[in-house]
């Protein structure tokens, strides 16, 4: 056995040891192991999840002759085990729908359930079971050239959201005293040309902002003319044409102009009712409560400093010193927040040390990037969707096909409940099925309060043509999305999607619908 | 009997799409059993790359009704492939990817034939690529994409109105991933932008200035690159650094640590050293699965017409929520690769040698060490040696005569060109017009008639 670290190298670079440990502790249950289900699980087994349990009551009829007639769950389990012997794989030969009805408590043993190819009725039942048991749930379904993926969990809070592009935390618009002092200690006017072009832009901007504020009654540039003037002043400070640090300063001057304080996203989180904590609150919300106190008190309107700085033109010495100043401030902010966390824990009757130092540190470092995702119960969405959104989607050219598929994916389940087969599933009844499906669509739209809205004839015909087929390429796509969501939910890194993902295999214009 | 039942049931799902008529389909769509059978019997597809995308593509294509596949890849299996390249096992490490991938899929999906090619893409004759109905790309390098793109676009011929000739169009489907992000695109030479038309989508990697590495290092990466690019050569005069030799990598790491300590810089680790030196792109199974599935579906739709096609560039980003976007890029009508060809006017007396020299100086081409072919004939080949010797005598002959005295025709040249200071092999299509040759040809034709 090779060093497991080496095998996972390419993913450790994404979610780190912590993410990997979370995956290795997770137990995943798969309902129905057709193409969609097995494709989902394949990606997770490769990544090294702790254990998988495959549940399917049917016999093999496709894929490989040698297995025909055997339990599908058993065959898929054997294939998946081959991919990674570090994963514990087992199977249960039973129909998921039956299990949902007969043994709801069965599901509480898992970290996450991936439910594939279920119809509406079983989806709603399973959703309630998992919600009650606090088990993560993902629905995935492939249907002809369409399909969907939908996460379901009451609340998913993310500390390490790791966004691609996020403004660095330099505080150029609101420098603290140590940073100001450091900038003051450098006199740009007396420096020799080599030192001048190796002074980091952070220093240049802090000094210039200070000068500006002195001349403008404490205010920073805000109008377009003022900003232009500020940049001209920077330019005038250059002593040679090739000073990259000054070019960087001019480019980064918008960081001086940016409004102080926290983003509206973060404001919403600290004002969430969950930030009024009690003994039942999660660690996340306890830390948010501490953050809220920090922002109004020590933070002076700002969150704890992140503490890292981007690379910039500079001498090594100045850059390393600057790094130390940012790190020291971040450490000081962390200590304050940690103290606040401890006293809140004490106040709500919990062990003051029950949240680890590493956790609080990570929270501080990511405080500006916190995310909270919430999901409605499937039943609520089905019986009481956001009608205004629904109508907006139907009339929006970009969304109408995806919205049409959403309606149709529900309509085919109604159809199946009435006629014991899906529209177009069998040859010979296509025309009749088309008109029956049309009736189901109209009925559904009425029930949803969207009388007068329609789904195009072409799309209804297309849905009948699909005939509940599970195409491998579509299944692999849907399974890929589902497994990526599993990874985000389990590692608690990155941001899971909110809403229902509708796959549009006709022109690939898939959409995420929030209803 | 049992065989045919299984056969039937396997294509049962696909049959619905291929046998039934629909309204949201390509204009060429002719549903029926014939279409399904033709797809299985005659559609030959080449998968370029047997890595993260290639493994998925082979499996998806095999399970989407295609029975004649070929795969080309020059790499051998490494341990770090195993978290996503699901056709490989620990005991396969060191074996050629193409061969193992082909065998595993054939073991699992009966009736599928996959021919592996364990070699560089440049090692194959251009005509090798002509035999496929579609070329699917699962690559991780700009250079390789560029090469295949030029080959496929090289087959394209235009009629006298500069309209692409249908039979010469060789479509490509291309995928790429990085972490939670990826893209899938359809390239129909002559109609949609080719890889080169939108080369700006792949900006060159930013390199650290040498003076930063030598004089003002600030980050761990600067220390690593100093050890890798400067210190290595100072100490090991003449010995080339081999990123795959663990001893070499450890040396760079140790030197980087020393330099970091000297300057008070944090964060040099062995893992980061490997990442910086080898420019490792993080990769996971799920993104590869998503992108390959999109590519397979587009391939199926292009071959069968059973639905509309992606027009023409899909991006996927799963970092923050889920973002899927389709962008319709436009063709660069002056593209050197997929356009009607760079027009060169020549005197009928210009020798092949003179022509090759001209290519090197041509401001748009800057193509050195050129090999030249006209239709299926090699006029001059730089390599292999045996071909070079066979064609060397052509160098002193007028190109006009070598090309059969036609006044205007296409030649293909391969050679090296530099992009972002990096040498790359490239293939260009040139449209040659010989000055004053029209009269000659008219005469020839009159005689012929």
């Amino acid at each position: 056995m090779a060093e497991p670290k080496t095998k996972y190298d390419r993913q450790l670079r994404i979610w780190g040891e912590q993410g990997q440990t979370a995956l290795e502790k997770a137990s995943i249950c798969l309902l129905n192991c057709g193409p969609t289900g097995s494709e989902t699980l394949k990606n997770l087994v490769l990544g090294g999840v702790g254990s998988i349990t495959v549940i399917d009551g049917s016999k093999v009829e496709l894929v490989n002759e040698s297995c025909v007639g055997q339990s599908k769950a058993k065959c898929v389990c054997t294939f998946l085990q081959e991919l990674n012997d570090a994963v514990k794989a087992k199977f249960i030969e039973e129909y998921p729908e039956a299990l949902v009805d007969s043994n709801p408590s069965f599901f509480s043993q898992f970290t996450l359930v991936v439910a594939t190819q279920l119809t509406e009725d079983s989806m709603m039942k399973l959703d309630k079971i998992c919600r009650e048991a606090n088990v993560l749930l993902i629905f995935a379904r492939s249907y002809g050239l369409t399909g969907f993926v939908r996460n379901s969990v009451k609340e998913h809070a993310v500390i390490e959201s790791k966004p691609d592009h996020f403004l660095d935390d330099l505080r150029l618009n609101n420098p603290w005293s140590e940073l100001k002092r450091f900038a003051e200690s450098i006199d740009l006017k007396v420096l020799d040309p080599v030192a001048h072009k190796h002074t980091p832009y952070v220093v240049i901007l802090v000094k210039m902002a200070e000068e500006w504020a002195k001349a403008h009654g404490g205010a920073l540039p805000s109008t377009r003319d003022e900003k232009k003037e500020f940049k001209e002043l920077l330019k005038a400070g250059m002593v040679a044409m090739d000073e990259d640090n000054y070019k960087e300063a001019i480019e980064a001057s918008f960081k001086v102009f940016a409004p102080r304080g926290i983003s509206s996203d973060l404001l919403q989180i600290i004002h969430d009712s969950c930030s009024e904590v009690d003994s039942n609150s999660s660690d996340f919300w306890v830390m948010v409560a501490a953050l809220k106190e920090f922002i109004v008190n020590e933070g002076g309107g700002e969150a704890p400093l992140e503490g890292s700085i981007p690379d910039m033109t500079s001498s090594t010495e100045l850059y390393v010193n600057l790094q130390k100043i940012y790190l020291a401030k971040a450490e000081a902010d962390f200590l304050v927040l940690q103290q606040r966390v401890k006293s809140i824990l004490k106040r709500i009757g919990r062990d003051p040390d029950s949240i680890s130092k590493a956790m609080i540190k990570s929270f501080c470092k990511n405080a500006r990037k916190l995310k909270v995702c919430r999901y409605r119960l499937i039943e609520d969405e089905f019986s009481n969707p956001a009608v205004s959104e629904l109508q907006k989607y139907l009339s929006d050219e970009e969304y109408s096909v995806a919205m049409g598929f959403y309606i149709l994916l529900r309509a085919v389940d109604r159809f199946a409940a009435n006629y014991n087969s899906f529209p177009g599933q069998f040859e010979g009844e296509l025309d009749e099925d088309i008109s029956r499906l049309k009736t189901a669509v109209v009925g559904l739209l009425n029930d949803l309060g969207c009388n007068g809205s329609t789904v195009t004839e072409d799309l209804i015909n297309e849905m009948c043509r699909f005939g509940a087929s599970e195409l491998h390429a579509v299944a692999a796509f849907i399974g890929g999305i589902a497994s990526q969501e599993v990874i985000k939910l389990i590692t608690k890194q990155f941001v899971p999607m909110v809403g229902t993902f509708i796959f549009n295999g006709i022109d690939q214009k898939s959409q995420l619908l929030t209803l | 009997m049992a065989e045919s039942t299984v056969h039937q049931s396997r294509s049962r799902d696909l049959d619905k799409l291929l046998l039934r008529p629909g309204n949201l389909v390509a204009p060429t769509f002719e549903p029926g059993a014939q279409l399904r059978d033709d797809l299985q019997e005659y559609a030959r597809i080449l998968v370029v790359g047997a890595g993260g995308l290639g493994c998925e593509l082979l499996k998806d294509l095999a399970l989407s009704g295609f029975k004649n596949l070929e795969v080309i890849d020059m790499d051998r299996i490494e341990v770090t492939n195993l978290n996503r390249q699901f056709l490989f096992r620990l005991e396969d490490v060191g074996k050629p990817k193409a061969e193992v991938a082909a065998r595993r899929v054939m073991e699992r999906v009966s009736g599928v034939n996959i021919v592996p090619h364990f070699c560089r893409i440049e090692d194959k004759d251009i005509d090798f690529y002509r035999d496929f109905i579609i070329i699917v790309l699962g690559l991780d390098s700009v250079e390789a994409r560029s090469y295949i793109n030029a080959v496929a676009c090289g087959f394209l011929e235009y009629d006298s109105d500069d309209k692409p000739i249908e039979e010469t169009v060789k479509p490509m489907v291309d995928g790429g991933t990085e972490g939670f992000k990826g893209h899938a695109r359809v390239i129909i030479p002559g109609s949609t932008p080719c890889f080169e038309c939108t080369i700006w989508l792949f900006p060159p990697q930013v390199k650290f200035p040498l003076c930063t590495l030598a004089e003002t290092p600030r980050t761990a990466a600067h220390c690593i690159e100093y050890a890798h690019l400067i210190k290595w050569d100072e100490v090991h005069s003449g010995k080339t650094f081999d990123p795959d030799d663990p001893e070499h990598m450890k040396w760079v790491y140790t030197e980087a640590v020393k330099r970091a300590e000297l300057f008070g810089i944090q964060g040099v680790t062995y893992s980061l050293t490997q990442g910086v030196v080898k420019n490792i792109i993080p990769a996971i199974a799920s993104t590869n699965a998503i992108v390959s599935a999109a590519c397979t579906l587009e391939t199926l739709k292009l071959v069968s017409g059973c639905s509309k096609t992606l027009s023409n560039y899909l991006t996927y980003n799963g970092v923050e929520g889920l973002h899927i976007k389709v962008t319709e890029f436009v063709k660069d009508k002056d593209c050197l690769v997929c356009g009607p060809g760079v027009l060169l006017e020549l005197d009928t007396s210009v020798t092949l040698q003179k022509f090759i020299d001209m290519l090197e100086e041509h401001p748009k081409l800057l193509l050195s060490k050129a090999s030249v072919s006209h239709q299926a004939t090699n006029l001059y080949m730089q390599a292999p040696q045996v071909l070079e010797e066979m064609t060397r005598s052509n160098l002193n002959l007028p190109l006009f005569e070598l090309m059969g005295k036609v006044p205007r025709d296409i030649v293909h040249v391969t050679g090296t060109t530099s992009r972002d200071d990096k040498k790359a092999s490239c293939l260009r299509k040139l449209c040659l017009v010989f000055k004053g040759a029209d009269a000659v040809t008219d005469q020839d034709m009159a005689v012929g008639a």
Side-chain angles (χ1 to χ4, degrees), chain B residues 322-356:
Chain B
L322 191 152
H323 300 274
I324 285 185
K325 200 171 161 233
V326 174
T327 310
E328 193 166 347
F329 285 114
V330 288
K331 205 165 84 101
D332 172 5
K333 63 177 175 24
D334 296 326
C335 178
L336 288 180
V337 178
C338 71
V342 179
L343 197 71
L344 284 180
E345 253 193 316
L346 301 175
D347 284 322
T348 51
S349 61
V350 169
T351 62
L352 181 54
Q353 180 66 62
K354 177 87 175 81
F355 173 68
I356 289 172

Side-chain angles (χ1 to χ4, degrees), chain A residues 39-96:
Chain A
E39 282 287 346
T40 309
L41 225 43
K42 177 206 76 195
N43 301 329
L44 297 171
V45 167
L46 286 168
V49 293
S51 73
I52 56 165
T53 304
V54 179
I55 296 166
D56 196 313
S58 59
K59 306 283 184 200
V60 174
E61 39 174 342
L62 312 169
V63 183
N64 192 306
E65 277 83 346
S66 65
C67 297
V68 170
Q70 290 188 39
S71 154
K72 200 191 267 182
K74 183 184 170 193
C75 286
V76 167
C77 200
T78 313
F79 285 157
L80 289 173
Q81 182 72 78
E82 247 183 65
L83 302 180
N84 192 346
D85 55 14
V87 176
K88 288 191 211 77
K90 61 176 185 179
F91 70 93
I92 296 173
E93 192 179 352
E94 192 169 346
Y95 286 101

Side-chain angles (χ1 to χ4, degrees), chain A residues 407-408 411-412 414-415 418-419 423 431-447 453 455 457 460 464:
Chain A
I407 299 285
L408 283 164
V412 294
R414 284 197 172 190
F415 185 109
N418 284 338
Y419 304 106
D431 288 340
E432 199 179 353
D433 282 0
I434 289 173
S435 64
R436 282 169 169 174
L437 181 61
K438 212 179 291 177
T439 311
V441 167
V442 172
L444 181 63
L445 283 168
N446 275 340
D447 292 352
S453 298
V455 172
E457 299 260 333
I460 293 173
C464 287

Side-chain angles (χ1 to χ4, degrees), chain B residues 268-287:
Chain B
V268 175
T269 62
Y270 188 67
S271 169
L272 183 70
T273 306
Q274 284 182 307
V276 170
V277 171
K278 295 169 117 177
N279 185 29
I280 292 176
I281 297 165
I284 52 175
S286 55
T287 317

Side-chain angles (χ1 to χ4, degrees), chain A residues 11 13 39 42 62 64-65 82 311-312 314 316 424 427 458 465 469-470 484 488 495 505-506 508, chain B residues 9 13 17 20 23 56 59 83 108 110 217-218 222 271 286-287 298 301 306 308 316 318-319 321:
Chain A
Q11 63 196 48
R13 289 173 192 276
E39 282 287 346
K42 177 206 76 195
L62 312 169
N64 192 306
E65 277 83 346
E82 247 183 65
D311 187 27
M312 61 191 80
S314 167
T316 303
E427 300 304 324
D458 280 348
R465 176 176 169 233
S469 54
E470 199 174 353
Q484 194 145 106
K488 291 192 276 184
V495 187
I506 296 176
Q508 300 272 17
Chain B
S9 63
D13 288 70
L17 220 57
R20 295 173 171 184
N23 297 334
E56 288 283 330
K59 173 253 305 167
N83 80 321
R108 277 292 147 77
S110 59
R218 299 175 297 270
H222 291 157
S271 169
S286 55
T287 317
E298 291 312 310
K301 294 194 290 186
C306 72
K308 295 178 177 179
Y316 167 84
V319 175

Side-chain angles (χ1 to χ4, degrees), chain A residues 118-182:
Chain A
L118 289 188
T119 51
E120 211 168 272
D121 183 46
S122 304
M123 276 174 71
M124 290 192 288
K125 284 185 202 159
L126 179 67
D127 193 34
K128 277 192 203 156
I129 293 168
C130 289
R131 190 62 68 100
E132 193 103 327
N134 215 8
V135 170
L136 299 163
L137 175 60
I138 296 180
F139 295 106
R141 187 170 185 189
S142 310
Y143 195 107
L145 290 174
T146 186
F148 69 85
V149 180
R150 161 72 145 86
N151 298 341
S152 186
V153 50
K154 187 163 179 253
E155 178 185 289
H156 178 78
V158 190
I159 296 171
E160 292 179 80
S161 62
K162 299 186 171 179
D164 266 340
H165 306 285
F166 205 83
L167 192 59
D168 41 39
D169 196 12
L170 293 176
R171 297 288 161 86
L172 300 178
N173 54 355
N174 196 5
W176 65 101
S177 53
E178 286 82 359
L179 180 60
K180 276 196 232 173
R181 269 209 296 282
F182 179 70

